[in-house]
Amino acid sequence: MQVALFIIFGLLAVAGALNLLYQRHPINSALSLIVVMMSLAVLYFSLGAEFLAAAQVIVYSGAVMVLFVFVIMLLNAGEEVHTRGSKMAYIAGIPGTTAIFCILTFVFLKQRNALGATHLRDSLSGTSSNITEVSHQLFTSLLLPFEVTSILILVAILGAVVLARRES
């Protein structure tokens, strides 16, 4: 079953990357990049890297792509070209979404008992999970670099706002 998920989301990531290259409108390219990032998150999750999958969704698919779309809209100095949408979305969008939904529903219903069993087994046996280890390291020995990085990102965002508001 894991091989089937890997093949499906690997092909979805490759298709999203090819769609990213063939799009003429930058917003459609950014949306294709979100498809690639979400597919990679599912691949990370299927490999047992839950924290990396969650970080992929939150950081890259969420925050970074919002910034990409913001910069694209901010720098779009020309007149907006209205398109009828991506041809790839019309051809593969509805059938692909339906197929992925059906496959994921089948996998989750078939593996219903095993989904929560790992966490329960870890808490009963006293072993810690991947997320517990990473969060312990992040908030104990790496707390100062973590906070310095957040301040650096805040300064970069303020600098971008100042540069965007400056009139030429």
Side-chain angles (χ1 to χ4, degrees), residues 1-12 42-43 46 92 94-112 115:
M1 193 55 65
Q2 191 168 4
V3 174
L5 286 176
F6 178 78
I7 290 171
I8 291 168
F9 284 102
L11 289 175
L12 188 63
V42 171
L43 291 176
S46 71
I94 299 294
T97 303
T98 305
I100 289 173
F101 179 75
C102 290
I103 290 171
L104 288 177
T105 303
F106 174 74
V107 169
F108 287 142
L109 289 177
K110 186 173 182 177
Q111 301 292 330
R112 182 184 316 175
L115 287 175

Side-chain angles (χ1 to χ4, degrees), residues 19-93:
N19 194 26
L20 173 115
L21 294 175
Y22 290 125
Q23 289 297 321
R24 294 188 182 267
H25 200 273
I27 297 293
N28 291 342
S29 293
L31 292 175
S32 295
L33 191 56
I34 290 174
V35 169
V36 173
M37 297 294 178
M38 294 298 284
S39 298
L40 289 177
V42 171
L43 291 176
Y44 290 148
F45 188 77
S46 71
L47 291 173
E50 297 90 5
F51 180 77
L52 192 56
Q56 180 80 17
V57 169
I58 294 168
V59 174
Y60 291 111
S61 299
V64 171
M65 290 311 300
V66 166
L67 289 176
F68 277 9
V69 171
F70 178 70
V71 168
I72 288 169
M73 294 177 126
L74 185 68
L75 296 178
N76 192 7
E79 189 173 322
E80 178 149 354
V81 178
H82 293 285
T83 61
R84 292 177 20 152
S86 169
K87 289 181 184 176
M88 178 66 88
Y90 285 125
I91 293 171

Side-chain angles (χ1 to χ4, degrees), residues 132-149:
T132 307
E133 294 290 328
V134 170
S135 61
H136 180 70
Q137 287 293 325
L138 185 64
F139 292 116
T140 55
S141 61
L142 298 174
L143 184 61
L144 181 64
F146 182 74
E147 292 299 326
V148 169
T149 303

